[in-house]
Amino acid sequence: MKETIHIYHTNDIHSYFHHWPRIRCFLETKKRHHQALKETVFLFDIGDFMDRWHPLTEGTLGKGNVALLNEAGYTAVTIGNNEGITFPHEQLDQLYRGASFDVIVANLYDGNGERRAWMLPHYIYETMNGNQIGLIGITAYYKEIYEQLGWQMTKPLDEIERQLNILKNRQVDCMILLSHLGIDNDKKIAATFPEIDLIIGGHTHHVLPNGQLVNKTLLAGAGQFGDYIGYIKVTIAEGKSKKEATLIKTSDLPAYMNETEEAAALYEHGKSLLQPVIAQIPFPLQADWYHPSLLTQLLCEAIREWTQADCAFIHAGLLLTSLKTGEVTAYDLHQMLPHPINPCVMELTGAELKEVLIETMDSKWPYIRLKGYGFRGKVMGCFVYDRIEIKESGAIIFINGVPIEEKRSYTLATTDMFSFGMFFPILHHAENTRYFLPEFLRDLMAWKLKNMYEPS
């Protein structure tokens, strides 16, 4: 039956709530408007709505974000990597228990290969006029990390094909994919599965002002941080669907009453939950991006000690704030190390390790501005080492006081971001890379400081 369906979507908000009161007001108003006209309306989020850099997300382990989605009246969401791999297994499993929306994620399973009750691989929604809307959700393929956290994953395209085969006999009038895979994968999916009418995407923060057609499939994406709200009008008639996409710039919407105060209140609520005292330090510990400091050294030591590696290095730009004399709270450490970054250990030969260490001495590193890979800082900063001594511009290197041996195997502890291939190719291809999960850098710093300076 002929019908116009209205879809509003968000993606990759990453707990940036400065726009949230305005977004919520807009969505609530639009939903009431369409419902009053007896029109079908859907609200979808495409993942990474959460990010543990924000005190509310950290303090509530994401439950505060779920409450916001509930309040706005979302229909369904898929999860992003920030929901999927930055929470321990138990927390993710509990995260959506109070959700009033559907969680659609087809390629995630529990460790035993079964789906948890809150995971729906697909769902069919019936519209006001009786049309059937098929919805599949798919999330980014971080197989090894999910497995270490006690989950299993299937390859996204394999799972999409499996779900489409299940749905093909259900007389679906419009097939929609919520994809937290990124724009390149979305294009590939559109070319591979022409039966998908609409792919609403995220992960790569792409902005598609009027969508993008790949064959007959429309791709949509609304950027990041709530800068845009996506709107798609789908007209179903005679077994076919016509799709039109646009973006609404959030800053162009009317200001919501007390929106600044409301966003600030979300922050303060999270902060209030992060007040437990971790340690009592007898002197200030200063962060310094451009020179080695005791604070950076303590973090580097903590990573090596926690992982029991032969040696370690980190970059000083990780530490965003300093610590004052006296009580150190969970909030203090969260502000200093807000990243969803985990420690990891790589196995290298002495020759490989030597080459990487010489590269870290390049004078360019401290000033490189950096985004992505979970990093929440501004610049890379200088490199700091533990059980590594470099002399004569790298001509002489000691590991734990002994000259490095080129054919010997060493374990290097560092941060997971160096395993992703952007900075040091040798580390990206290292043998036996092991991630230490679910601990973040701030957890290791808390462990280190607590052992050194017990709170009074």
Side-chain angles (χ1 to χ4, degrees), residues 212-325:
Q212 182 177 345
L213 272 175
V214 176
N215 298 328
K216 294 183 180 181
T217 303
L218 181 66
L219 310 187
Q224 63 180 348
F225 304 156
D227 291 340
Y228 297 94
I229 302 166
Y231 170 62
I232 303 163
K233 184 169 72 172
V234 180
T235 303
I236 298 175
E238 299 178 355
K240 297 181 180 180
S241 63
K242 177 183 177 183
K243 294 88 60 178
E244 302 172 60
T246 189
L247 293 178
I248 297 103
K249 193 171 184 179
T250 310
S251 59
D252 289 343
L253 295 174
Y256 179 72
M257 181 178 59
N258 299 324
E259 61 181 22
T260 302
E261 291 79 3
E262 183 177 328
L266 294 175
Y267 187 96
E268 289 301 318
H269 176 57
K271 180 179 177 180
S272 72
L273 299 173
L274 297 175
Q275 293 308 309
V277 176
I278 304 300
Q280 184 95 19
I281 60 175
F283 46 78
L285 293 168
Q286 300 293 331
D288 189 328
W289 297 340
Y290 304 107
H291 305 92
S293 70
L294 176 57
L295 186 60
T296 313
Q297 188 65 43
L298 288 176
L299 177 60
C300 192
E301 290 175 8
I303 291 173
R304 185 196 58 76
E305 292 164 2
W306 184 268
T307 61
Q308 298 183 345
D310 294 324
C311 57
F313 71 67
I314 61 172
H315 59 106
L318 288 165
L319 294 110
L320 305 192
T321 61
S322 302
L323 296 176
K324 298 178 181 179
T325 302

Side-chain angles (χ1 to χ4, degrees), residues 198-222:
L198 174 62
I199 299 176
I200 311 176
H203 190 48
T204 46
H205 303 180
H206 45 285
V207 177
L208 301 177
N210 298 111
Q212 182 177 345
L213 272 175
V214 176
N215 298 328
K216 294 183 180 181
T217 303
L218 181 66
L219 310 187

Side-chain angles (χ1 to χ4, degrees), residues 96-110:
Y96 295 105
R97 294 298 174 93
S100 58
F101 48 84
D102 297 318
V103 182
I104 316 291
V105 53
N107 61 326
L108 182 64
Y109 298 79
D110 204 357

Side-chain angles (χ1 to χ4, degrees), residues 50-306:
M50 306 177 189
D51 195 311
R52 290 181 63 178
W53 76 268
H54 194 286
L56 179 72
T57 310
E58 180 76 356
T60 65
L61 287 175
K63 287 284 189 178
N65 296 68
V66 171
L68 296 178
L69 290 167
N70 282 344
E71 186 180 7
Y74 274 74
T75 310
V77 308
T78 195
I79 71 168
N81 46 289
N82 273 272
E83 287 88 5
I85 62 175
T86 71
F87 292 103
H89 184 282
E90 182 180 356
Q91 273 68 46
L92 176 56
D93 194 33
Q94 295 291 326
L95 181 58
Y96 295 105
R97 294 298 174 93
S100 58
F101 48 84
D102 297 318
V103 182
I104 316 291
V105 53
N107 61 326
L108 182 64
Y109 298 79
D110 204 357
N112 60 7
E114 302 291 330
R115 295 190 194 276
R116 303 296 290 166
W118 55 270
M119 301 174 180
L120 298 176
H122 64 260
Y123 198 81
I124 297 177
Y125 295 93
E126 186 169 320
T127 69
M128 292 284 191
N129 288 2
N131 288 301
Q132 305 293 304
I133 308 300
L135 192 69
I136 299 170
I138 210 82
T139 196
Y141 189 62
Y142 291 98
K143 183 176 185 289
E144 291 183 5
I145 298 177
Y146 272 106
E147 287 178 349
Q148 283 195 249
L149 289 168
W151 303 102
Q152 290 185 24
M153 294 203 90
T154 52
K155 293 181 179 179
L157 269 68
D158 292 347
E159 193 65 61
I160 291 169
E161 183 175 18
R162 185 176 297 114
Q163 298 307 316
L164 288 172
N165 286 335
I166 294 171
L167 292 171
K168 67 181 180 181
N169 296 322
R170 300 289 298 275
Q171 296 183 332
V172 171
D173 298 289
C174 181
M175 186 69 69
I176 301 173
L177 176 68
L178 307 184
S179 166
H180 196 84
L181 297 178
I183 184 65
D184 290 339
N185 283 305
D186 291 351
K187 291 177 181 178
K188 182 177 181 180
I189 291 165
T192 306
F193 303 107
E195 59 267 52
I196 298 176
D197 297 285
L198 174 62
I199 299 176
I200 311 176
H203 190 48
T204 46
H205 303 180
H206 45 285
V207 177
L208 301 177
N210 298 111
Q212 182 177 345
L213 272 175
V214 176
N215 298 328
K216 294 183 180 181
T217 303
L218 181 66
L219 310 187
Q224 63 180 348
F225 304 156
D227 291 340
Y228 297 94
I229 302 166
Y231 170 62
I232 303 163
K233 184 169 72 172
V234 180
T235 303
I236 298 175
E238 299 178 355
K240 297 181 180 180
S241 63
K242 177 183 177 183
K243 294 88 60 178
E244 302 172 60
T246 189
L247 293 178
I248 297 103
K249 193 171 184 179
T250 310
S251 59
D252 289 343
L253 295 174
Y256 179 72
M257 181 178 59
N258 299 324
E259 61 181 22
T260 302
E261 291 79 3
E262 183 177 328
L266 294 175
Y267 187 96
E268 289 301 318
H269 176 57
K271 180 179 177 180
S272 72
L273 299 173
L274 297 175
Q275 293 308 309
V277 176
I278 304 300
Q280 184 95 19
I281 60 175
F283 46 78
L285 293 168
Q286 300 293 331
D288 189 328
W289 297 340
Y290 304 107
H291 305 92
S293 70
L294 176 57
L295 186 60
T296 313
Q297 188 65 43
L298 288 176
L299 177 60
C300 192
E301 290 175 8
I303 291 173
R304 185 196 58 76
E305 292 164 2
W306 184 268

